[in-house]
């Protein structure tokens, strides 16, 4: 049954391009034909994604497919070039400043490298209390108790809050990052490869922590990862990205049991599995095309064993092939 709870956050037709902004001299040179336009990276191309309240949506794809860019755009860290982001049904860009601040605070991001995300000159207590103090969330005289509460939520011993980030392991630092994000009382966490830099045993602990926090604090997640095993474990629904587009989207069981898109099938073949039935897909052959000049039509066509003539020219539309299961492949039109 598709989940009918209200959307918390939606990306609608979002594109994001990266390239140098030409100064006046460059614009004149371009107009006179003295120079070529600077190369543009097409990181996202007309992406739409809905995340419902309480859901964990896993966003997967190979390195360079645009998944981290989509996470950052949805989190409001970088702006989109086209399209819109809706928070609880309201377009983020047209919100009043106070509403926008509340939406920004309700969305927090947890990054891959826990050390790079922490100020090495601040103690854990200062790190965790900085943002909630700025936003007036800490009751007067209760700073220590407030910090301790959120450190405990993150599974971090509050008696160590006077120490600095370099005095901790990677797993403990990531717990500090999680406590810092939780301390502003968010509703939605964007986790960008948040366990990728941790040892496997610590990864499992942090993933379990995310799941506990979801129930305890009623959180919604966008979980960006290149690791299908992690995504299968943590997600309710999975979106598969290929070169700036979402090519398949479905409940987690459906994606792993009945993948539809040739790219998803190829990706699943790369996950080591015990069940023989799931070993039958071939690995993704060939290289990811450059986002500087993505192929026309279906972006996957240069690597797809089923590519037809129309795949080279016509962009496949996402089509519902089963309840809640969308796939963008011309094979579904046959
Ligand atoms: Fe392959 Fe064509 Fe489907 Fe793209 S649209 S995945 S090239 S069959």
């Amino acid at each position: 049954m598709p989940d009918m709870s209200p959307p918390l956050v939606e990306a609608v037709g979002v594109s994001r391009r990266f390239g140098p902004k030409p100064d006046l001299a460059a614009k004149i040179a371009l107009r006179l034909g003295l120079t070529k336009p600077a190369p543009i990276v097409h990181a996202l191309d007309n992406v739409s994604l809905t995340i419902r309240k309480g859901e964990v949506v896993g966003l997967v794809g190979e390195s360079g497919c645009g998944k981290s860019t989509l996470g950052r755009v949805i989190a409001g860290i970088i702006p989109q070039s086209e399209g819109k982001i809706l928070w609880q049904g309201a377009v983020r860009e047209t919100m009043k400043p106070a509403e926008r601040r509340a939406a920004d605070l309700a969305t927090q991001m947890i990054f891959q490298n826990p050390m790079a995300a922490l100020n090495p000159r601040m103690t854990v207590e200062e790190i965790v209390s900085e943002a909630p103090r700025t936003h007036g969330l800490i009751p007067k005289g209760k700073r220590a108790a407030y910090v301790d509460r959120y450190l405990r939520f993150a599974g971090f011993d509050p008696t160590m809050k006077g120490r600095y980030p370099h005095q901790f392991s990677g797993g403990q630092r990531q717990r500090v990052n999680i406590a810092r994000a939780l301390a502003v009382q968010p509703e939605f966490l964007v986790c960008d490869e948040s366990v990728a830099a941790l040892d496997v045993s610590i990864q499992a602990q942090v993933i379990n922590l995310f799941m506990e926090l979801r129930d305890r604090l009623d959180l919604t997640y966008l979980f960006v990862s290149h690791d299908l095993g992690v995504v299968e474990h943590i997600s309710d629904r999975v979106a598969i990205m290929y070169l700036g587009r979402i090519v398949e989207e479905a409940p987690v069981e459906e994606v792993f049991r009945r993948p539809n898109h040739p790219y998803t099938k190829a990706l699943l073949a790369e996950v080591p599995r015990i069940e023989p039935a799931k070993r039958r897909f071939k690995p993704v052959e060939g290289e990811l095309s450059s986002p500087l000049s993505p192929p026309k039509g279906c972006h996957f066509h240069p690597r797809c064993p089923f590519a037809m003539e129309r795949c080279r020219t016509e962009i496949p539309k996402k089509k519902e092939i089963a309840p809640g299961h969308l796939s963008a492949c011309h094979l579904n039109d046959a």
Side-chain angles (χ1 to χ4, degrees):
M1 254 307 259
D3 186 353
M4 296 314 289
S5 49
L8 184 69
V9 59
E10 291 169 86
V12 182
V14 167
S15 296
R16 171 70 210 199
R17 294 177 288 275
F18 293 101
K21 267 202 169 163
D23 57 16
L24 186 62
K27 278 183 191 166
I28 293 169
L30 199 60
R31 190 163 290 184
L32 295 174
L34 301 174
T35 180
K36 286 186 181 162
I40 303 285
V41 174
H42 299 262
L44 298 175
D45 181 11
N46 195 19
V47 173
S48 294
L49 181 68
T50 298
I51 302 165
R52 298 185 181 279
K53 187 154 175 53
E55 250 192 333
V56 179
V57 174
L59 182 63
V60 283
E62 290 165 283
S63 178
C65 72
K67 57 191 187 305
S68 289
T69 303
L70 181 58
R72 282 170 165 78
V73 169
I74 286 178
I77 290 177
I78 54 173
Q80 63 275 27
S81 308
E82 277 156 28
K84 52 191 178 183
I85 302 292
L86 278 72
W87 172 256
Q88 296 180 334
V91 178
R92 196 164 60 198
E93 286 70 30
T94 59
M95 284 176 171
K96 293 185 180 131
E99 288 170 349
R100 175 70 196 256
R101 267 198 304 280
D104 287 347
L105 211 54
T107 303
Q108 293 295 310
M109 193 147 182
I110 297 170
F111 296 95
Q112 177 175 358
N113 184 341
M115 189 61 189
L118 298 173
N119 185 336
R121 292 192 189 82
M122 289 169 87
T123 64
V124 167
E125 182 170 17
E126 287 165 343
I127 289 167
V128 174
S129 63
E130 189 185 26
R133 210 153 42 94
T134 308
H135 294 282
L137 297 172
I138 304 181
K140 210 164 179 228
K142 301 276 189 209
R143 174 171 131 153
Y146 191 94
V147 169
D148 291 1
R149 172 182 157 86
Y150 286 100
L151 285 173
R152 278 195 203 96
F153 274 148
F156 186 95
D157 180 358
T159 61
M160 298 194 286
K161 67 186 175 189
R163 300 189 195 171
Y164 291 86
H166 73 268
Q167 295 176 282
F168 297 104
S169 67
Q172 286 170 312
R173 282 183 209 131
Q174 198 58 308
R175 287 179 190 274
V176 174
N177 272 311
I178 294 168
R180 178 176 62 175
L182 297 179
V184 293
Q185 304 171 19
E187 290 178 58
F188 176 47
L189 293 184
V190 178
C191 301
D192 185 9
E193 301 281 10
S194 305
V195 296
L198 307 177
D199 292 343
V200 176
S201 61
I202 309 293
Q203 271 190 12
Q205 289 173 16
V206 175
I207 288 169
N208 289 338
L209 173 66
F210 281 132
M211 291 300 88
E212 275 170 43
L213 292 170
R214 172 204 195 174
D215 296 336
R216 210 165 169 185
L217 301 174
D218 201 15
L219 292 171
T220 302
Y221 290 91
L222 176 64
F223 206 87
V224 179
S225 178
H226 69 283
D227 186 335
L228 275 165
V230 169
V231 164
E232 183 179 17
H233 184 74
I234 204 169
S235 310
D236 300 314
R237 205 153 53 82
V238 178
I240 310 282
M241 274 198 94
Y242 187 79
L243 208 59
R245 293 179 186 155
I246 291 178
V247 296
E248 185 160 8
E249 208 183 311
V252 64
E253 291 264 298
E254 183 81 4
V255 164
F256 283 87
R257 295 233 169 110
R258 284 177 290 278
N260 173 272
H261 197 279
Y263 177 61
T264 312
K265 291 179 177 180
L267 261 190
L268 286 178
E270 294 195 327
V271 185
R273 288 186 175 277
I274 298 162
E275 307 99 303
K278 293 189 179 171
R279 284 206 194 116
R280 63 177 184 264
F281 304 121
K282 284 189 176 167
V284 190
E285 286 173 3
E287 300 250 309
L288 188 71
S289 305
S290 168
L292 285 168
S293 55
K296 287 200 167 52
C298 173
H299 282 171
F300 189 54
H301 83 252
R303 299 167 84 182
C304 179
F306 310 104
M308 306 167 275
E309 198 44 49
R310 70 185 286 212
C311 303
R312 297 178 222 292
T313 52
E314 201 182 315
I315 300 171
K317 292 197 174 70
K318 271 201 260 177
K319 190 171 171 182
E320 189 163 44
I321 53 161
H325 189 164
L326 305 171
S327 179
C329 174
H330 291 312
L331 291 174
N332 294 320
D333 297 340

